[in-house]
Amino acid sequence: MSEADQIAVVGLSCRVPGADDAPAMWRNLLSGVDSVRRLTAAEGALADPDWVPVFGRLDDLDGFDADLFGYPAELAVLLDPQHRLFLEVAWRALEDAGIDPDRDPAQVGVFAGCGPNRYLHHHLLGNPALQPGFGGLAEDWDDVLTGSGCDYLPTRTAYALGLAGPAVAIQTACSTSLVAVCQAAQSLLDYRCDVAIAGGSAVVSTRQAGYRRRPGGLLATDGVCRPYDAAATGQVFGNGAGAVVLKRLAEARADGDHVYAVLPGWAVNNDGADRPGFTIPGVAGQAAVLAEALASVGWDSADVGYLEGHGTGTSVGDAIEVDALTRVRRGRGSPLLLGSLKGNLGNLDAAAGVISLIKAVYAVHTGQVPGTAHFTGAHGDIDLAAAGAEVSAQTRPWAGERRAGVSSFGLGGTNAHVLVAQAPGANNHDEQERHDRVVLGLSAGSPAALRELARRLAERLAVGDLAVADVAHTLAVGRRRLAYRAAVGCADADEAVGQLTALAQGGPVADDAVARSWLDGGDLPVVRGRRVPLPGYPFQRTRHWIEARR
């Protein structure tokens, strides 16, 4: 398969329960952390024996860096928090990819979706403070409607970030964000855009306080999501958002991009009527989408060593998923490692698929497969042996060639499956120039954000695995030029750490011609190097929220 037919993952970002970014989520997954919170009465839990006070809660859900994204307070307060979350992860994913749309001529597309707007229904509608002309909150109901519709998520992102490629809303329930990845990848292969952001956002609850226990329902009666496990009683939901940045592999390599992994193939279908009911998954449809993705790249099912499954912790759904897997694998090859991060984070609805993809990308990239939280033994209706699969509760090293699959199945029957493979090595011709000194230029929307950015970059450089020329290159070509700027000069990482630490504490910036030009609004010189992932922008979130009607 040629590089022209493969898609590279060059950037990624997420915000999920227990983690404000993708590296923090990955550390939690490797450690087996369950980030679903058991809530207190002060956090909204009800004093009711049938109330299950757990939720995949996001801290600071009511916060938003409105100034950074150009929103006045009276409009920011109307904006669906799902839109706010996706703006953040899209911004950071582009940063992670080292792409500044203001200076990069590439046409960037956005393919994304979200769930229903609970904030509109529970907080805005019927609120007298939002009547047009009352207190200046909404001079026109169009402000409320355009800040609320799922249709406007990708177009809002394109407007806020200045992206001129296709902006397409995807809506397939829990499989939304993985279907968005498939649509984005196909758009790249069809040369409809040069770069694509794909993902989704979900705010399942604005109160984030738990749910009422209903034995036999979809939600876990004990508040614990146990994918594929004998003790599973259902799923737990959570809030979150995620995005990946995709490019055609040949161009990513030519541009010196950091490639996390490659997506060689994918498939999307629907169960149709071949299932017991509209809300019940179909075995044939799920098996078909796996088989189609494999056939699209000529892989055998035995070629895949790890599958990040849909795995919600519902006995019927998990059993159907493994049955479909059995039809495709039929026990062939070495045991397939099967897992699901929903035991760690809960079901993140429209964002679930892309978060699962990010986990699989990290697994392929690092050679480690996180364990599946709360797994002790397979449910009686699940025959892992027939599928040639096993579920591990512990993180495992992954040796040899690393190929993975990611499944996401939406309520209503739209299924998506994406294949993930290791990235090829760096191009040999991408030799690094030698520099006696380089200038690292930083910019942010506020002095506080600038100091925090310097602190984060110092912390990252202290690890000692980045060349300062690569860091200088990435900052020069892949970061937006914002109002507040600073610069430090350095010959190596140790000097950079010292200078950045001093800057974070309010110290002086570099004083030379290059730095002065940058501080005066000019551009940084582009040092030849590779794009490398650097710490994301430190959003300065302030409260933009209207209390829910009681």
Side-chain angles (χ1 to χ4, degrees):
M1 190 175 189
S2 72
E3 291 185 357
D5 298 323
Q6 299 183 69
I7 301 301
V9 180
V10 297
L12 48 82
S13 175
C14 66
R15 189 172 166 206
V16 297
D20 197 51
D21 58 26
M25 181 188 77
W26 180 242
R27 290 192 296 270
N28 286 345
L29 293 177
L30 290 177
S31 300
V33 175
D34 181 350
S35 297
V36 176
R37 291 254 300 274
R38 184 161 292 274
L39 309 169
T40 66
E43 293 173 311
L46 302 181
D48 182 331
D50 290 329
W51 189 257
V52 184
V54 300
F55 190 73
R57 185 184 179 96
L58 277 187
D59 292 329
D60 204 19
L61 181 65
D62 58 359
F64 180 53
D65 198 337
D67 291 340
L68 180 69
F69 291 104
Y71 282 88
E74 63 270 19
L75 294 183
V77 76
L78 305 177
L79 192 58
D80 181 354
Q82 297 180 116
H83 289 213
R84 306 179 195 184
L85 290 172
F86 194 75
L87 285 173
E88 285 191 6
V89 297
W91 175 292
R92 276 193 176 165
L94 280 175
E95 279 192 328
D96 193 56
I99 295 173
D100 175 7
D102 291 339
R103 284 175 287 173
D104 194 318
Q107 192 176 57
V108 183
V110 185
F111 300 80
C114 61
N117 185 354
R118 274 86 173 182
Y119 183 70
L120 172 68
H121 292 286
H122 297 301
H123 297 252
L124 303 184
L125 292 180
N127 192 318
L130 291 180
Q131 297 306 312
F134 185 94
L137 282 177
E139 295 301 327
D140 191 307
W141 271 105
D142 286 346
D143 293 337
V144 177
L145 297 177
T146 58
S148 302
C150 295
D151 295 352
Y152 304 113
L153 178 69
T155 51
R156 179 180 307 286
T157 304
Y159 178 75
L161 303 185
L163 313 177
V168 182
I170 308 294
Q171 204 68 40
T172 63
C174 294
S175 61
T176 291
S177 57
L178 201 64
V179 171
V181 170
C182 298
Q183 297 294 94
Q186 192 62 51
S187 184
L188 286 165
L189 284 192
D190 293 342
Y191 285 82
R192 305 299 181 185
C193 56
D194 304 308
V195 178
I197 302 172
S201 180
V203 172
V204 179
S205 171
T206 55
R207 298 180 182 182
Q208 309 189 101
Y211 55 88
R212 194 168 299 280
R213 182 182 290 106
R214 291 185 176 88
L218 291 176
L219 297 176
T221 57
D222 60 355
V224 180
C225 182
R226 308 174 190 273
Y228 313 112
D229 193 72
T233 61
Q235 59 190 317
V236 176
F237 279 96
N239 295 335
V244 292
V245 176
L246 309 177
K247 290 178 73 172
R248 292 179 285 271
L249 176 59
E251 292 165 21
R253 280 165 59 73
D255 292 342
D257 293 332
H258 173 81
V259 179
Y260 284 97
V262 172
L263 310 183
W266 52 85
V268 177
N269 74 0
N270 190 276
D271 292 329
D274 189 9
R275 47 187 163 145
F278 177 71
T279 62
I280 301 174
V283 176
Q286 291 186 13
V289 80
L290 269 66
E292 182 182 342
L294 291 166
S296 72
V297 295
W299 286 8
D300 186 270
S301 62
D303 294 331
V304 176
Y306 170 61
L307 174 61
E308 175 63 18
H310 188 64
T312 59
T314 59
S315 56
V316 172
D318 287 0
I320 289 173
E321 180 180 355
V322 175
D323 191 1
L325 182 61
T326 302
R327 295 189 183 192
V328 176
R329 280 184 55 83
R330 303 189 186 281
R332 295 198 305 272
S334 57
L336 170 76
L337 196 56
L338 174 65
S340 170
L341 53 60
K342 293 182 177 68
N344 305 90
L345 304 176
N347 186 346
L348 303 187
D349 193 51
V354 72
I355 302 301
S356 294
L357 175 64
I358 290 171
K359 175 189 173 184
V361 165
Y362 267 118
V364 165
H365 184 60
T366 66
Q368 297 182 88
V369 180
T372 295
H374 309 300
F375 183 83
T376 56
H379 192 279
D381 294 331
I382 294 175
D383 190 348
L384 290 175
E390 62 177 310
V391 179
S392 174
Q394 306 300 320
T395 294
R396 291 188 181 182
W398 189 358
E401 186 175 17
R402 300 193 289 271
R403 291 178 171 181
V406 182
S407 293
S408 191
F409 308 133
L411 190 70
T414 295
N415 309 309
H417 189 74
V418 174
L419 301 175
V420 186
Q422 285 174 266
N427 285 342
N428 293 330
H429 62 76
D430 282 343
E431 298 295 336
Q432 304 297 291
E433 290 182 343
R434 295 186 179 275
H435 298 271
D436 292 332
R437 294 186 71 78
V438 296
V439 171
L440 308 182
L442 310 179
S443 73
S446 70
L450 188 63
R451 289 191 296 272
E452 174 61 16
L453 188 58
R455 187 196 68 78
R456 292 184 181 187
L457 187 56
E459 185 178 78
R460 177 65 186 88
L461 280 167
V463 176
D465 61 341
L466 294 179
V468 290
D470 288 343
V471 175
H473 175 81
T474 304
L475 293 172
V477 304
R479 290 293 183 273
R480 290 178 182 267
R481 294 166 293 185
L482 302 174
Y484 294 88
R485 299 184 175 197
V488 300
C490 60
D492 55 34
D494 289 340
E495 185 179 7
V497 169
Q499 297 272 21
L500 289 165
T501 301
L503 178 61
Q505 297 170 353
V509 299
D511 184 18
D512 60 31
V514 172
R516 283 196 297 274
S517 173
W518 169 245
L519 297 174
D520 290 340
D523 289 335
L524 288 167
V526 178
V527 175
R528 185 181 175 188
R530 300 187 182 97
R531 289 182 172 95
V532 291
L534 298 176
Y537 187 84
F539 296 113
Q540 305 294 291
R541 302 184 186 110
T542 55
R543 195 169 194 268
H544 294 280
W545 201 257
I546 291 174
E547 292 300 332
R549 294 177 288 111
R550 300 297 180 185

